[in-house]
């Protein structure tokens, strides 16, 4: 086989380019920490990596749904806890008004406080989270209660998928928590304004029923919040596991790549030195 200077030069350039490509690939891996940047980098590893990335995206989306659900449930619990405190205060006022020793002006003063507490109950029933009304069912863009405590929402509940096949309710319709409270407060206010101790005494059972209703709603939201925390913990562990598996297939061993990079740099320098020695002599050098 006849070896010409041209063929030696082409072979040298081909090897030099191959060395540069390996250097580029190693530098890219060091810069990103990833072994795979394109499907051709590791075709057999691509399908499981894509499956794991899909699984990680799904887990992260479930995590966001869980956080949203927890936010709504926590806000609902805070509103109902405040509502329970108001009902306790209403009951105290009813007990005072029912003892028959208060003057008409005192009864009217109690009625005014009941009126203010009713207004606060309406405010709690119209609680918003991020611009959405919490107790309106799925009707979240308008206040679910008017100033008289009439419910304007619907009976639906906001739901979130928090895992494959698991859907949790994040809210409760306001009429299931506040309806008896508004009714009892209104009746109590009327009885106090009328100065009728017997009628005021009769509202105690209504207030107890309203308390039972609100506490039941509060317990329901609390139970869901506890479940959300359990699922959140499980999702965090699952995300960590998927990330570890993905890292094992995608991430580079930094120390190993650094050694490879140094080796390739040495090879590149040696190739340049060899090329300089190879190309410099020519026939002209011997004809002088």
């Amino acid at each position: 086989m006849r070896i010409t200077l041209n063929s030696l030069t082409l072979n040298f350039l081909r090897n030099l380019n191959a060395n540069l490509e390996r250097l580029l690939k190693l530098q890219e891996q060091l810069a990103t920490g990833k072994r795979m940047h394109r499907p051709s980098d590791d075709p057999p590893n691509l399908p499981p990596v894509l499956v794991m990335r899909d699984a990680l995206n799904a887990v992260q989306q479930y995590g966001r749904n869980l956080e949203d659900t927890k936010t709504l449930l926590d806000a609902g619990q805070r509103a109902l806890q405040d509502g329970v405190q108001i009902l306790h205060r209403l009951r105290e006022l009813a007990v005072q008004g029912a003892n028959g020793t208060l003057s008409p002006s005192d009864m009217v003063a109690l009625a005014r406080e009941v009126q203010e507490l009713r207004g606060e109950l309406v405010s709690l029933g119209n609680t918003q989270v991020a611009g959405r009304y919490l107790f309106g069912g799925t009707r979240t863009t308008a206040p679910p209660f008017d100033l008289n405590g009439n419910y304007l929402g619907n009976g639906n509940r906001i739901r979130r998928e928090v895992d494959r096949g698991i859907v949790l309710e994040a809210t409760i319709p306001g009429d299931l928590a506040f309806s008896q409270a508004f009714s009892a407060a209104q009746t109590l206010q009327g009885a106090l304004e009328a100065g009728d101790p017997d009628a005021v005494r009769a509202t105690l059972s209504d207030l107890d029923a309203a308390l039972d209703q609100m506490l039941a709603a509060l317990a329901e939201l609390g139970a869901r919040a506890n479940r959300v925390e359990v699922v959140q913990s499980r999702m965090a562990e699952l995300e960590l596991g998927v990330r570890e598996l993905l890292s094992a297939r995608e991430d580079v061993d930094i120390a190993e790549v650094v050694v490879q990079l140094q080796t390739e740099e040495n090879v590149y320098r040696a190739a340049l030195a060899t090329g300089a020695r190879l190309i410099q002599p020519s026939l002209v050098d011997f004809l002088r």
Side-chain angles (χ1 to χ4, degrees):
M1 184 176 66
R2 181 169 176 265
I3 306 298
T4 65
L5 181 60
N6 189 46
S7 65
L8 286 174
T9 303
L10 290 175
N11 187 57
F12 161 73
L13 291 174
R14 184 171 57 253
N15 290 332
L16 194 64
N17 284 332
N19 182 260
L20 284 173
E21 288 179 2
R22 290 194 296 273
L23 277 173
L24 176 63
K25 185 176 181 180
L26 291 171
Q27 288 173 344
E28 194 175 34
Q29 289 180 355
L30 274 180
T32 62
K34 302 292 182 184
R35 286 191 293 116
M36 295 179 59
H37 298 93
R38 55 194 69 81
S40 59
D41 288 340
D42 191 357
N45 199 34
L46 183 61
V49 166
L50 293 178
V51 170
M52 289 178 193
R53 284 180 180 173
D54 286 343
L56 182 60
N57 289 335
V59 169
Q60 289 175 331
Q61 182 58 54
Y62 288 140
R64 288 189 287 272
N65 291 350
L66 280 165
E67 195 60 38
D68 183 46
T69 303
K70 187 72 165 48
T71 298
L72 295 175
L73 288 172
D74 287 347
Q77 288 182 91
R78 286 193 295 271
L80 294 184
Q81 286 169 349
D82 290 344
V84 168
Q85 295 302 316
I86 289 176
L87 285 174
H88 280 304
R89 178 58 184 163
L90 288 173
R91 199 177 191 288
E92 290 175 4
L93 295 175
V95 170
Q96 291 180 39
N99 63 24
T101 61
L102 298 181
S103 67
S105 60
D106 291 337
M107 296 286 272
V108 170
L110 293 182
R112 296 287 76 78
E113 183 173 349
V114 170
Q115 183 179 19
E116 293 301 321
L117 292 174
R118 275 188 61 215
E120 186 56 27
L121 278 175
V122 171
S123 297
L124 292 174
N126 290 332
T127 297
Q128 297 182 66
V129 175
R132 295 175 296 178
Y133 288 94
L134 196 57
F135 294 107
T138 53
R139 184 176 178 271
T140 61
T141 57
F145 291 99
D146 63 16
L147 295 178
N148 295 319
N150 296 312
Y151 187 58
L152 307 175
N154 58 41
N156 300 323
R157 304 174 185 226
I158 296 175
R159 293 178 169 84
R160 294 284 185 272
E161 184 175 10
V162 297
D163 197 356
R164 193 180 301 276
I166 299 178
V167 177
L168 293 184
E169 295 172 347
T171 61
I172 189 171
D175 60 334
L176 299 182
F178 289 92
S179 59
Q180 293 190 49
F182 288 132
S183 176
Q186 187 170 10
T187 303
L188 174 60
Q189 182 182 340
L192 289 169
E193 288 173 342
D196 186 347
D198 293 334
V200 171
R201 189 176 302 108
T203 64
L204 287 172
S205 59
D206 295 336
L207 289 169
D208 289 339
L211 260 176
D212 290 341
Q213 183 190 46
M214 196 166 290
L215 287 173
L218 182 59
E220 184 177 338
L221 294 185
R224 290 187 210 153
N226 290 338
R227 185 177 180 186
V228 166
E229 290 177 359
V230 171
V231 179
Q232 276 183 316
S233 177
R234 180 159 53 82
M235 280 295 159
E237 293 177 2
L238 181 59
E239 182 177 354
L240 180 61
V242 174
R243 285 188 180 279
E244 288 177 349
L245 289 174
L246 195 56
S247 174
R249 289 185 174 273
E250 276 193 325
D251 296 348
V252 296
D253 183 333
I254 298 295
E256 181 181 345
V257 175
V258 168
V259 171
Q260 290 178 357
L261 182 63
Q262 291 173 342
T263 301
E264 291 297 335
E265 287 175 346
N266 292 335
V267 171
Y268 181 69
R269 291 193 183 94
L272 288 176
T274 302
R277 287 175 176 274
L278 175 69
I279 298 174
Q280 279 181 353
S282 68
L283 182 59
V284 176
D285 297 320
F286 298 97
L287 294 177
R288 290 174 181 172

